[in-house]
């Protein structure tokens, strides 16, 4: 799915393309698939910072999404080349927010704008912001 990834000072960018089976009967990307694109970009971003979810989980750091706010602005179609951005900001003391967008590669047109709120929970289910996540900021 991901073709290339790169990072600027401001945001992470992950290039992808829409696959046929991600589209619904109307020929556009199904709404739930956009969340997969957003999540994939966040996972790839963590990897560029030396983190991955499997390792974090083994270390007892469980990162969870607590809110997803998604604005669907324009539909995407099979074969569209896109790039997904991710820019994390610490909100409050324990919430890491990823401001994200999905844009068409050729036109730059924004198709999706999202605000994904995450937190880490301890093995006992208590929210906190572990020091190891500071590399994301």
């Amino acid at each position: 799915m991901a073709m290339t990834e790169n990072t600027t000072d401001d945001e992470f960018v992950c290039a992808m393309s829409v696959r046929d089976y991600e589209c619904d009967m109307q020929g556009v990307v199904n709404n739930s698939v956009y969340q997969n694109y957003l999540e994939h970009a966040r996972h790839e971003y963590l990897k560029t910072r030396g983190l991955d979810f499997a390792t974090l989980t083994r270390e007892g750091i469980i990162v969870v999404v607590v809110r997803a706010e998604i604005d669907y602005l324009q539909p995407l179609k099979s074969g569209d080349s896109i790039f997904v951005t991710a820019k994390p900001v610490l909100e409050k003391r324990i919430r890491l927010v990823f401001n994200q967008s999905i844009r068409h590669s050729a036109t730059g047109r924004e198709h999706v704008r999202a605000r994904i709120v995450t937190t880490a929970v301890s093995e006992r289910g208590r929210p906190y912001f572990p020091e190891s996540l500071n590399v994301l900021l």
Side-chain angles (χ1 to χ4, degrees), residues 46 51-63 130 132-133:
L46 264 65
L51 298 174
D52 70 76
F53 282 103
T55 302
L56 289 170
T57 301
R58 280 193 301 276
E59 294 172 355
I61 301 168
I62 314 302
V63 180
S132 59
L133 296 184

Side-chain angles (χ1 to χ4, degrees), residues 36-102:
N36 291 333
Y37 296 160
L38 297 167
E39 183 170 21
H40 180 74
R42 291 192 308 276
H43 283 236
E44 292 299 312
Y45 172 68
L46 264 65
K47 288 179 186 177
T48 67
R49 300 300 184 156
L51 298 174
D52 70 76
F53 282 103
T55 302
L56 289 170
T57 301
R58 280 193 301 276
E59 294 172 355
I61 301 168
I62 314 302
V63 180
V64 296
V65 171
V66 296
R67 175 176 292 226
E69 299 170 10
I70 302 172
D71 294 321
Y72 301 96
L73 307 171
Q74 297 285 326
L76 289 167
K77 297 180 180 167
S78 179
D80 282 344
S81 293
I82 59 174
F83 59 91
V84 184
T85 65
K87 182 176 182 179
V89 293
L90 187 61
E91 182 182 271
K92 302 188 181 176
R93 287 186 358 252
I94 59 172
R95 289 189 174 188
L96 184 62
V97 175
F98 286 88
N99 293 310
Q100 295 189 258
S101 69
I102 300 174

Side-chain angles (χ1 to χ4, degrees), residues 19-49:
R19 299 168 291 193
D20 290 340
Y21 63 84
E22 297 170 326
C23 298
D24 60 20
M25 294 300 291
Q26 291 80 33
V28 298
V29 173
N30 182 282
N31 69 83
S32 65
V33 173
Y34 292 101
Q35 289 192 50
N36 291 333
Y37 296 160
L38 297 167
E39 183 170 21
H40 180 74
R42 291 192 308 276
H43 283 236
E44 292 299 312
Y45 172 68
L46 264 65
K47 288 179 186 177
T48 67
R49 300 300 184 156

